[in-house]
Amino acid sequence: MSRTRVHNFSISLDGFGTGEGLSADAPFGHAGHRLHEWMTATRFWHGLGVVEQGEGAAGSTGADNAFAERHEHGIGAEIMGAGKFGPPGWQDDPEWRGWWGENPPFHTPTFVLTHRPRQPLEMDEGTTFHFLDASPADALDAAREAAHGLDVRIGGGPTVVRDFLAAGLVDHLHVVQVPILLGRGVRLWDGLEALERGYAVEAVSTPSGVTHLTFTR
Ligand SMILES: NC(=O)c1ccc[n+]([C@@H]2O[C@H](COP(=O)([O-])OP(=O)(O)OC[C@H]3O[C@@H](n4cnc5c(N)ncnc54)[C@H](OP(=O)(O)O)[C@@H]3O)[C@@H](O)[C@H]2O)c1
């Protein structure tokens, strides 16, 4: 059975998954890169997961990397929100093709939830962006069909992850709690009281200072 998974979703101690003041120059607003420093240090991030240790290898290979690289395995489609796909107002720019250049790191059909859908965008190496104005359940049906039996990743941002959790559609949630206080931004946990009751929860803290929390149904 195809499962719905969230990976590497980073939040501050006070629960924010992004900062305030998002723009083309500040994809995470005032949070800057602080939510993801644990991940950008890993070999997963450096894109060298298939390269043997030694010359050319870069990035850490410890516990943070082991969690980070689970992002890829068995995924056949991603769903993301309009706020992840581009800065506020990207819908007014017919040329906007996402943050990631012509070869985005998804390599699967990728469904962008937006109230202003447009024609699909076919990118290099397997990523096609489909734009959907649909409920979480209907978006998941479309992504499952495209995933051909593989799992569907909910890629963020916090609004979309929260909506899928609230609808009871997430089977595995990996949240990374980063020891910073953002104070403002978009919160993950609002309206999800007692969410943990539906899941087996595990926590692992790593030398980088983050805590990996997994919620598994
Ligand atoms: N912490 C992390 O690990 C992580 C991961 C990924 C992204 N991010 C960051 O999170 C931020 C974006 O998060 P966000 O919470 O602001 O936005 P988001 O979750 O990416 O997207 C929310 C938006 O998607 C559209 N949308 C959502 N559900 C919809 C539905 N059912 N039907 C139609 N449209 C729907 C709406 O946009 P419209 O009404 O405008 O169409 C809504 O405002 C960015 O800063 C991004 O860099 C963080």
Side-chain angles (χ1 to χ4, degrees):
M1 174 69 183
S2 162
R3 293 186 311 150
T4 308
R5 296 159 40 193
V6 177
H7 287 280
N8 300 343
F9 195 81
S10 304
I11 60 170
S12 60
L13 284 180
D14 45 353
F16 293 98
T18 193
E20 207 173 74
L22 307 185
S23 71
D25 296 328
F28 294 88
H30 83 292
H33 297 297
R34 287 178 294 160
L35 284 171
H36 293 98
E37 280 167 357
W38 72 270
M39 187 168 68
T40 52
T42 64
R43 190 157 97 176
F44 161 75
W45 183 262
H46 288 255
L48 296 171
V50 293
V51 174
E52 291 303 315
Q53 277 280 27
E55 202 180 322
S60 67
T61 56
D64 285 337
N65 187 60
F67 275 103
E69 62 186 16
R70 296 174 59 210
H71 183 264
E72 306 293 290
H73 298 299
I75 295 291
E78 164 152 332
I79 297 172
M80 70 171 71
K84 175 172 171 178
F85 184 71
W90 65 263
Q91 292 95 334
D92 295 322
D93 177 0
E95 306 297 322
W96 181 259
R97 294 168 72 80
W99 296 104
W100 305 275
E102 286 306 299
N103 185 12
F106 307 107
H107 310 298
T108 65
T110 299
F111 294 83
V112 179
L113 283 171
T114 173
H115 292 103
R116 294 171 62 190
R118 54 172 67 175
Q119 289 303 307
L121 285 177
E122 196 171 328
M123 314 298 283
D124 293 345
E125 299 202 23
T127 303
T128 301
F129 292 114
H130 301 274
F131 299 88
L132 272 188
D133 183 355
S135 69
D138 288 347
L140 184 56
D141 284 346
R144 277 214 170 114
E145 198 176 326
H148 296 300
L150 294 176
D151 290 349
V152 174
R153 185 175 54 234
I154 309 300
T159 303
V160 158
V161 173
R162 191 198 315 122
D163 288 350
F164 277 75
L165 287 168
L169 295 173
V170 176
D171 300 308
H172 180 81
L173 168 68
H174 169 224
V175 169
V176 186
Q177 197 169 45
V178 181
I180 59 172
L181 291 160
L182 285 179
R184 57 208 158 91
V186 184
R187 303 174 70 100
L188 174 63
W189 300 123
D190 288 359
L192 298 176
E193 182 178 334
L195 177 82
E196 73 285 352
R197 287 189 193 152
Y199 294 89
V201 182
E202 292 184 2
V204 176
S205 296
T206 64
S208 67
V210 305
T211 298
H212 297 269
L213 293 161
T214 56
F215 292 65
T216 307
R217 195 129 63 181

